[in-house]
Amino acid sequence: MKLRKSVSLILVLILCLLTGCGPVSGDKEITYSAVNSKNDEFTVTIPSTWKSLPGELNDNGDLELSNEKSTHFILGMVISGEDYSGTLEEYKETAAENIGGTYNLTLEEPDSTEVAGYPAFRFEFETKVDNLNVFFRVYVLRTENYFADLYTWSVASLKEEEQDVILGILNSLEEADLPESRTLGSDDGTIGFTAVPKGWYQMHDAETGSDEIYLSSMRQDAMVYATSLTKQGLDDGFDFFDRVMMESMEDTYDTELASTRQEKTLPSGTARIYEFEAQEDDTIICYWLYNVETENRFSTLLAAVEKEKLDDFKTELEALLESFAEL
């Protein structure tokens, strides 16, 4: 995981210039332009009263911005979701440890928020940097393919200024050239989904096998899992595979599924579909079990969504499941 380095040294140098900065003309026409992160992971839109400072704020900076008066700053650092296997909640804890260690302070619990429609956490804290009182707002978020830390700061006396502009820049953040839908597959390239919509990402962790795929919505309130085996690995055929997987779900969730079975022809093959609900803690979860026979494989797909959000995800989930394919 990319090390989050302290921004304090260069921050002090820039903030020391404050007293020498003149005002921006109120008559100046404001225009807007796009700025890409260093490796083109993201793009943001900034007004002409702001500027890009590539390589000037931090050695690890992927996005470095300031206003014309050099009173307010944004520093973005990005890591691929393939390089970090944790959840946003875990990423938040790591961020808190790094920030606390850098500035020798204990952070209060961050606020849950959104940045550009993505789930995020916001830390706020004030600290002394070489006798300057500096106020930080730090956002950590998860997009389809990346985790990001977005540091914003100014001297404490100016902390409420420019906030509308800063939030406008942050909320303009988009993954560069992210299509409306895309194909995501298992690590071994055998199975996948060919219509994964924006707002979904692939989870990678040590427990996910190379022949499995695990997708999640941004807030992890809807998920899809798939695994498969070759037909040569099971001589008893699809009926046997379907029955074993169905009965396994019945035992796991203490429910009866046979009567709910539907059959459907997918673009990739034939599916037997079962629907059920289960209580998990205080939440009711709606499940879809798809057992699918394609040309060379038998596969099981399991989709889950919180019942209270079923209307938000049902159509999207069904389209996603039906895009399952051998790759």
Side-chain angles (χ1 to χ4, degrees), residues 163-218:
Q163 286 310 297
D164 288 345
V165 177
I166 288 171
L167 287 175
I169 293 171
L170 298 184
N171 282 317
S172 73
L173 181 144
E174 293 182 339
E175 283 197 25
D177 300 323
L178 186 69
E180 288 298 323
S181 68
R182 64 209 189 280
T183 296
L184 293 177
S186 57
D187 288 345
D188 67 1
T190 56
I191 58 171
F193 297 89
T194 61
V196 181
K198 282 186 177 181
W200 284 73
Y201 64 94
Q202 185 168 358
M203 299 184 70
H204 299 266
D205 60 44
E207 297 179 359
T208 302
S210 64
D211 59 348
E212 301 174 320
I213 181 169
Y214 191 10
L215 305 177
S216 174
S217 63
M218 279 295 122

Side-chain angles (χ1 to χ4, degrees), residues 26-314:
D27 297 326
K28 189 174 183 179
E29 181 182 358
I30 296 177
T31 58
Y32 294 85
S33 60
V35 174
N36 280 16
S37 58
K38 181 168 62 179
N39 296 311
D40 295 327
E41 302 97 340
F42 294 110
T43 181
V44 294
T45 300
I46 65 171
S48 52
T49 52
W50 278 67
K51 57 191 174 183
S52 178
L53 301 171
E56 295 187 32
L57 297 183
N58 186 273
D59 290 342
N60 278 349
D62 294 301
L63 182 69
E64 300 168 83
L65 308 170
S66 82
N67 63 347
E68 275 191 353
K69 295 187 291 183
S70 296
T71 60
H72 294 75
F73 304 89
I74 297 173
L75 170 68
M77 291 183 284
V78 180
I79 183 170
S80 169
E82 294 185 358
D83 295 330
Y84 182 75
S85 61
T87 64
L88 177 59
E89 186 76 25
E90 292 167 331
Y91 191 76
K92 173 201 72 173
E93 297 300 327
T94 301
E97 292 175 6
N98 289 335
I99 294 168
T102 296
Y103 296 104
N104 193 28
L105 49 81
T106 300
L107 295 174
E108 294 183 1
E109 189 66 21
D111 294 324
S112 295
T113 186
E114 290 188 354
V115 173
Y118 296 113
F121 292 100
R122 181 183 63 239
F123 295 96
E124 294 187 353
F125 60 96
E126 185 174 322
T127 188
K128 275 194 179 294
V129 182
D130 286 1
N131 297 318
L132 284 169
N133 292 324
V134 181
F135 184 82
F136 286 89
R137 289 184 177 94
V138 182
Y139 299 82
V140 294
L141 62 142
R142 174 60 149 116
T143 68
E144 285 88 346
N145 294 302
Y146 301 97
F147 291 89
D149 301 69
L150 302 175
Y151 286 76
T152 72
W153 71 88
S154 70
V155 289
S157 62
L158 301 178
K159 67 181 182 180
E160 298 305 331
E161 296 186 12
E162 294 270 358
Q163 286 310 297
D164 288 345
V165 177
I166 288 171
L167 287 175
I169 293 171
L170 298 184
N171 282 317
S172 73
L173 181 144
E174 293 182 339
E175 283 197 25
D177 300 323
L178 186 69
E180 288 298 323
S181 68
R182 64 209 189 280
T183 296
L184 293 177
S186 57
D187 288 345
D188 67 1
T190 56
I191 58 171
F193 297 89
T194 61
V196 181
K198 282 186 177 181
W200 284 73
Y201 64 94
Q202 185 168 358
M203 299 184 70
H204 299 266
D205 60 44
E207 297 179 359
T208 302
S210 64
D211 59 348
E212 301 174 320
I213 181 169
Y214 191 10
L215 305 177
S216 174
S217 63
M218 279 295 122
R219 292 192 176 277
Q220 296 190 350
D221 36 24
M223 298 184 181
V224 173
Y225 168 81
T227 188
S228 74
L229 54 86
T230 64
K231 289 184 176 179
Q232 289 83 352
L234 186 67
D235 295 332
D236 295 295
F238 184 54
D239 287 341
F240 176 77
F241 174 82
D242 174 59
R243 185 173 71 254
V244 168
M245 300 309 298
M246 180 197 69
E247 290 176 352
S248 174
M249 287 294 137
E250 288 181 329
D251 291 341
T252 299
Y253 293 100
D254 191 23
T255 189
E256 191 277 324
L257 295 181
S259 63
T260 72
R261 190 174 91 178
Q262 307 171 53
E263 295 212 14
K264 191 168 188 177
T265 300
L266 307 183
S268 61
T270 300
R272 292 180 182 172
I273 304 169
Y274 306 87
E275 297 183 30
F276 62 99
E277 295 180 359
Q279 182 94 20
E280 295 189 11
D281 297 324
D282 296 326
T283 304
I284 298 175
I285 308 295
C286 298
Y287 289 93
W288 290 265
L289 171 66
Y290 277 53
N291 291 326
V292 182
E293 180 179 17
T294 54
E295 183 178 0
N296 299 299
R297 309 186 75 85
F298 298 132
S299 303
T300 287
L301 324 179
L302 185 65
V305 62
E306 297 173 13
K307 187 173 183 178
E308 65 179 20
K309 297 179 181 177
L310 179 61
D311 290 344
D312 296 334
F313 283 99
K314 186 173 182 180

